[in-house]
Amino acid sequence: MTMRILYVNPVGEIGGAERVLLTIFATLKQIQPTIELHLLLFSNGPLADQSAALGVQVLVLSLPERLNQSGDSIFKQNRKLLGISRLFGDLTLSLPRLVKYLMVLRQTIHQIAPDLIHSNGIKPHLLLSLIQPRSTPIVWHIHDFYSSRPLVAKLLRWASIRATAGIAISQAVAADTQKCLPHLPLSVIYNSINIHHFTPSESKVLSTSHPTRIGLVATFARWKGHKVFLDAAAQILQTQLHPSVHFYIIGGPIYKTQGSQYSEAELHQYATQLKISEHLNFLGFQENIADIYRWLDIVVHASTEPEPFGLSIIEAMACGKPVIVAKAGGALELFTHGIDAIGVPPGDPPALAKALENLLSHPELCLKMGDQARHTVTKRFNQEHYGEQILSFYARHHSHQSEISKANL
Ligand code: GLC
């Protein structure tokens, strides 16, 4: 019998968690062409078309705008009271709409009648727990450190009673989840990528005909460390040792939640303040990100908070690039310092500048590290076995849930 799986994702924009979904779709369809995959989104965006192109049936049920904008990040601006009243104000105003939305959501899921629901973000975890029919197993794909968000962690703890099991994207995320949700059975399944798509450039020789290109590839979430990157850029430029380096910021805002993201204008202003605008370009979201990694010479990951995984790190490594990584959280599990990437303390512009300086002065080190990086990803994060890992995880929890349902009859 072929399985019917329903995926639920909060946004239609494509960030790391969404790229992981696309990888799941591609690998599952490859190993089990008859599998029936459905995707339900809380807002529309390019993920809808890209999933449909992989044979997934997509449905967008737009969450009322006000609710989409509510999130715990408004608490992080040192204006707790304002945050609390705004959040509750939002919720009270939207309550009737939320109830209506939940009814439609429940009906839609009932019609799809999935064998299993795969929830891919905090909002779906919470909303599904309010309506999920008991007999359908629901698994949570955990892409975040919940303990850093106390309000969310409390809500999730309560919601997790309705979840069957979780996939943690790294050991660090598993350890954190276990603290917050001690009863949720967890499996660590590392994110994987298509190493035939993320490939090194054909020419291995470092080009001297263009300025050295240094890039940060990330969504505009504030903790992705854009200002650390810009501060380090300013330090490199100040030394005037490498006048022909150029810095690039690739990506943009993806969530509608207020207060959690930079705007491009704000980053422009910061760069102007640092007097580095001439050496900086914003490239926005790029459809073919593999081309961008190949085009860059050095890739920087600068998150100021522990990174749950850091998909861009392994993507850039697979493209044979030297990557500087803010060494905290799951990101630490992806590389060996000094061999296939360089680790620096998070939120430390002088340390980042020093690591950049080292790579800029040693082009042969860049090549060697890039080769090692490609080797590591090919061995450890190749999507070849990813589909099987996910399917066997589903199978374990599907049969387990069926037994529970039978016992309850
Ligand atoms: C989230 C995490 C990031 C991870 C991605 C894919 O965006 O913040 O670290 O790489 O999900 O799992």
Side-chain angles (χ1 to χ4, degrees), residues 54-165:
L54 291 168
V56 178
Q57 300 185 41
V58 184
L59 207 122
V60 181
L61 263 192
S62 297
L63 198 62
E65 195 67 4
R66 260 205 126 88
L67 280 164
N68 231 350
Q69 288 168 356
S70 303
D72 62 322
S73 51
I74 48 183
F75 292 100
K76 290 196 177 150
Q77 299 169 57
N78 293 330
R79 286 181 295 172
K80 270 202 168 169
L81 264 180
L82 182 67
I84 289 172
S85 59
R86 204 189 285 163
L87 183 69
F88 283 99
D90 276 357
L91 286 182
T92 336
L93 276 177
S94 317
L95 201 59
R97 268 182 284 170
L98 174 63
V99 172
K100 201 164 144 213
Y101 183 84
L102 288 175
M103 278 163 59
V104 178
L105 184 63
R106 178 193 212 141
Q107 209 172 20
T108 310
I109 294 177
H110 185 74
Q111 274 160 6
I112 296 173
D115 297 305
L116 181 141
I117 301 173
H118 182 133
S119 171
N120 202 47
I122 294 171
K123 272 183 190 157
H125 297 345
L126 292 175
L127 294 192
L128 287 166
S129 74
L130 294 171
I131 55 152
Q132 181 231 340
R134 249 177 219 289
S135 54
T136 314
I138 174 158
V139 298
W140 288 7
H141 207 148
I142 301 170
H143 297 271
D144 302 283
F145 288 118
Y146 297 150
S147 67
S148 63
R149 305 163 74 167
L151 176 68
V152 160
K154 271 204 192 106
L155 291 172
L156 285 171
R157 188 172 183 138
W158 159 82
S160 68
I161 299 169
R162 305 298 295 269
T164 314

Side-chain angles (χ1 to χ4, degrees), residues 16-17 20 143-144 169 191 223-224 307-311:
V20 170
H143 297 271
D144 302 283
I169 55 169
N191 293 331
W223 61 275
K224 290 287 181 179
E307 180 74 60
F309 184 89
L311 208 55

